[in-house]
Amino acid sequence: MSSLYFALIFLVLFLGLGSQMMIKRAYKKWKKNQIGFGVSGADAARTMLNTGGLNHVTIIEVGGELSDHFDPRTNTVALSGDVYHGRTVSAIAIACHESGHALQHARGYVPAKVRGAIVPVASIASNLWVFVLIAGIVLSLFELIYVAIALFAAVLIFQLVTLPVEFDASKRARDFIQQSGWLNQKEYGGAKAVLRSAAFTYVAAALASILQLLYLLSAARR
């Protein structure tokens, strides 16, 4: 294998592991910071949703850490235990971020609609492209190799569409938190740090995929 390949592997791993360490570090740091107001993550999410006219959106508790998400199929904001019950900077930031996704869905935010439309294709492509690539190499069928690259490109497109969706949800969260008055200046800075580090994980994933796609195209031409 070429030195370029090993350099690419190292860079992809660095981006992936580095971004995960960054979000966990920011989350754990501000998870220890109890806010002055007696507001939990669930309270913050409920207030933000109700303020936006989304009283019908359900908030539930789920297991795991950083497993928080919004499910547009059931109009449900799912919060991990530490976020649901936590009265910390991290809990408020993450709960409001997921509520931001609910607001995007309700307001018909175009990037979110596009992302939702291509989820099935991206899911199939992400699970299939490696097997198609291996089959193309083993069988020496260049057509299959290019099909694999096209499938991987579909995954990259999904990641790129995800970026504005995540950035917008974080902006909605920041704006609401600032208006709420729950956090002092230092705590608000911590909330922004948590949201910024979470967004970086998506940027790192997209950059890693771009590098990988460029390498695949280069290798296919050779």
Side-chain angles (χ1 to χ4, degrees):
M1 293 185 180
S2 68
S3 58
L4 176 61
Y5 179 79
F6 285 113
L8 176 63
I9 292 295
F10 174 80
L11 186 55
V12 169
L13 288 174
F14 175 78
L15 286 171
L17 294 175
S19 62
Q20 289 301 315
M21 289 176 61
M22 184 177 178
I23 176 60
K24 287 182 178 181
R25 181 180 178 184
Y27 172 74
K28 288 181 178 179
K29 176 183 178 180
W30 293 100
K31 175 184 173 182
K32 300 174 183 176
N33 196 304
Q34 298 284 330
I35 65 172
F37 281 80
V39 178
S40 68
D43 295 332
R46 183 75 275 160
T47 303
M48 183 172 174
L49 292 170
N50 289 355
T51 301
L54 305 186
N55 307 64
H56 61 285
V57 174
T58 305
I59 302 172
I60 63 171
E61 181 181 353
V62 293
E65 184 180 68
L66 296 175
S67 52
D68 315 270
H69 63 277
F70 169 68
D71 188 343
R73 297 169 298 180
T74 58
N75 264 327
T76 301
V77 172
L79 303 176
S80 58
D82 285 344
V83 173
Y84 189 95
H85 299 286
R87 302 176 189 277
T88 66
V89 172
S90 289
I92 300 301
I94 293 174
C96 289
H97 175 87
E98 299 307 331
S99 299
H101 285 307
L103 287 166
Q104 289 174 339
H105 179 65
R107 305 289 187 266
Y109 181 62
V110 174
K113 292 173 69 175
V114 173
R115 181 183 183 276
I118 63 178
V119 163
V121 175
S123 179
I124 294 172
S126 65
N127 293 319
L128 192 61
W129 78 270
V130 172
F131 299 104
V132 176
L133 179 65
I134 293 172
I137 294 171
V138 171
L139 300 174
S140 297
L141 293 175
F142 290 102
E143 292 83 0
L144 280 181
I145 293 175
Y146 282 110
V147 169
I149 293 174
L151 290 171
F152 186 80
V155 176
L156 173 58
I157 291 171
F158 175 78
Q159 291 174 324
L160 293 175
V161 172
T162 295
L163 293 180
V165 176
E166 295 300 325
F167 292 156
D168 179 77
S170 288
K171 182 181 183 304
R172 292 172 190 262
R174 289 195 309 270
D175 291 346
F176 182 78
I177 292 170
Q178 188 174 39
Q179 293 167 9
S180 71
W182 291 328
L183 308 184
N184 60 36
Q185 187 174 359
K186 180 182 177 182
E187 291 167 342
Y188 180 65
K192 290 198 294 184
V194 171
L195 294 169
R196 185 166 54 246
S197 60
F200 181 73
T201 61
Y202 294 96
V203 174
L207 286 174
S209 293
I210 289 171
L211 291 172
Q212 195 167 352
L213 179 61
L214 291 174
Y215 177 81
L216 289 172
L217 288 169
S218 176
R221 281 195 292 267
R222 291 199 302 270

